[in-house]
Amino acid sequence: MKDYDWMAHEIGQNIVEVTMRFDEESRRFLVRDLPDDRLERALRIQAAIRAATHEHELKQSRADLMACIEELTLNAEKLLGEKEAKPSPPRIAQLCMSLLAPKKSAQALLGDLLETFHKNADRFGEKEARRMYWFEVVSSAGPWIKRLFFAVVVDYVRSKFGL
Amino acid sequence: MTLKQTEQVVMLAVLRKQPDAYGVAIYEELKTRLNKAVPMATIYANLETLEKKGFLKSKQGQATAERGGRAKMFFEITGKGQMALNASLQQLDRLREGIKLAGATA
């Protein structure tokens, strides 16, 4: 416990006014019903001073704690903002990819593309990463278009020749 | 059973990256060693074909936040797959035997 300057001033019978000077403020309070014995009086006044000091320090640590909480909240908000600002692949491209990807491996493929997108964004920037993501989508559309084309041709041949 | 060139390449990459052979690892291995980016969809199409043939087997990993909550799919080459790859590479070696190419270092 820190020692602060204090002054005791007798203002009446068995009443003492104590003025304490803390770091940036001073506090005045009364100690009443003091006994006649000088030693006991001194002990009572010292106990009151200790109590006031303790109260002041508690108030101070509460203020420090509040400041810490405020700082933590600000940091958390900042981090959340950064997380939200993290680049993400084009939504339409993601949708196309989820439609084109084979059912069994669709989730793994989309996850891999997202992981690659973040790596590319860190390495080449968001714009280039987005372009590369679109390239992946277009590349995956190739086999799908081929399959669709063959399906249409086969269907046409079957209907034409009644197979 | 013969293997296409892309299938050979993908299987070799899986062998190199085992036991951590998942899409991104295979993609990066191919990019580093072949000096060209093979589209992820092509890799997955080949992985699926190879799995259907019984040359590879897959297992699901843990979902992670950085992948948008999507799990990795790890691939492992089977005994049948190793035999097929070996046979396919031997065929290629037999075809190459005795041929001298301009610009070859060995």
Side-chain angles (χ1 to χ4, degrees):
Chain A
M1 202 183 281
K2 201 175 163 184
D3 284 327
Y4 295 98
D5 288 342
W6 59 272
M7 258 170 57
H9 183 67
E10 206 151 317
I11 54 166
Q13 205 181 2
N14 299 336
I15 299 177
V16 163
E17 186 189 59
V18 179
T19 310
M20 285 190 76
R21 192 176 293 279
F22 297 114
D23 296 327
E24 285 166 5
E25 58 179 303
S26 60
R27 194 184 153 200
R28 205 173 281 182
F29 59 92
L30 297 176
V31 186
R32 296 167 197 271
D33 303 327
L34 287 170
D36 292 331
D37 183 61
R38 286 183 71 83
L39 184 67
E40 267 187 49
R41 278 170 82 98
L43 286 173
R44 287 277 300 274
I45 292 166
Q46 275 177 2
I49 288 166
R50 270 202 305 276
T53 308
H54 188 70
E55 198 179 315
H56 171 75
E57 283 181 352
L58 205 68
K59 200 173 142 191
Q60 202 67 35
S61 42
R62 193 178 297 163
D64 288 348
L65 189 69
M66 288 309 283
C68 278
I69 290 172
E70 207 169 310
E71 202 182 325
L72 278 171
T73 313
L74 274 173
N75 281 343
E77 276 170 8
K78 203 174 150 192
L79 276 172
L80 211 66
E82 273 173 18
K83 201 180 171 188
E84 275 168 9
K86 210 175 175 185
S88 60
R91 281 176 188 219
I92 300 170
Q94 272 181 299
L95 182 72
C96 292
M97 203 62 191
S98 57
L99 292 172
L100 293 171
K103 242 183 205 173
K104 197 193 164 198
S105 53
Q107 288 304 309
L109 175 58
L110 285 167
D112 285 345
L113 285 174
L114 188 65
E115 197 181 322
T116 314
F117 173 83
H118 288 313
K119 278 184 187 170
N120 289 335
D122 288 343
R123 213 178 296 167
F124 310 112
E126 191 182 346
K127 202 178 166 186
E128 183 64 13
R130 281 173 163 257
R131 196 192 63 77
M132 288 163 104
Y133 196 97
W134 268 115
F135 171 76
E136 288 289 343
V137 176
V138 173
S139 310
S140 69
W144 187 79
I145 291 169
K146 215 191 281 179
R147 275 203 302 272
L148 188 74
F149 176 75
F150 276 110
V152 169
V153 169
V154 167
D155 199 42
Y156 174 76
V157 171
R158 272 185 184 165
S159 63
K160 190 81 178 167
F161 299 103
L163 297 169
Chain B
M1 199 181 276
T2 53
L3 292 170
K4 288 180 195 164
Q5 198 203 354
T6 336
E7 289 173 346
Q8 272 181 8
V9 160
V10 169
M11 279 181 91
L12 285 169
V14 171
L15 259 181
R16 281 195 167 275
K17 296 310 284 187
Q18 268 183 31
D20 192 34
Y22 74 105
V24 178
I26 297 167
Y27 173 84
E28 280 174 354
E29 185 70 12
L30 292 177
K31 200 174 174 185
T32 314
R33 296 201 177 260
L34 301 181
N35 237 350
K36 76 172 188 185
V38 180
M40 199 74 87
T42 309
I43 294 173
Y44 267 93
N46 281 287
L47 287 170
E48 242 179 58
T49 313
L50 290 166
E51 200 181 357
K52 269 183 202 160
K53 287 180 184 173
F55 295 164
L56 292 179
K57 59 179 178 186
S58 66
K59 75 169 181 222
Q60 201 97 349
Q62 288 283 316
T64 55
E66 60 166 3
R67 294 167 55 85
R70 296 179 182 105
K72 287 177 184 174
M73 199 182 247
F74 293 98
F75 291 89
E76 206 178 306
I77 198 157
T78 59
K80 191 182 168 189
Q82 289 198 35
M83 282 199 295
L85 180 63
N86 192 33
S88 181
L89 291 174
Q90 275 180 355
Q91 278 178 353
L92 203 67
D93 286 342
R94 281 198 296 275
L95 203 61
R96 271 180 53 143
E97 219 172 46
I99 293 175
K100 280 184 183 167
L101 294 168
T105 50

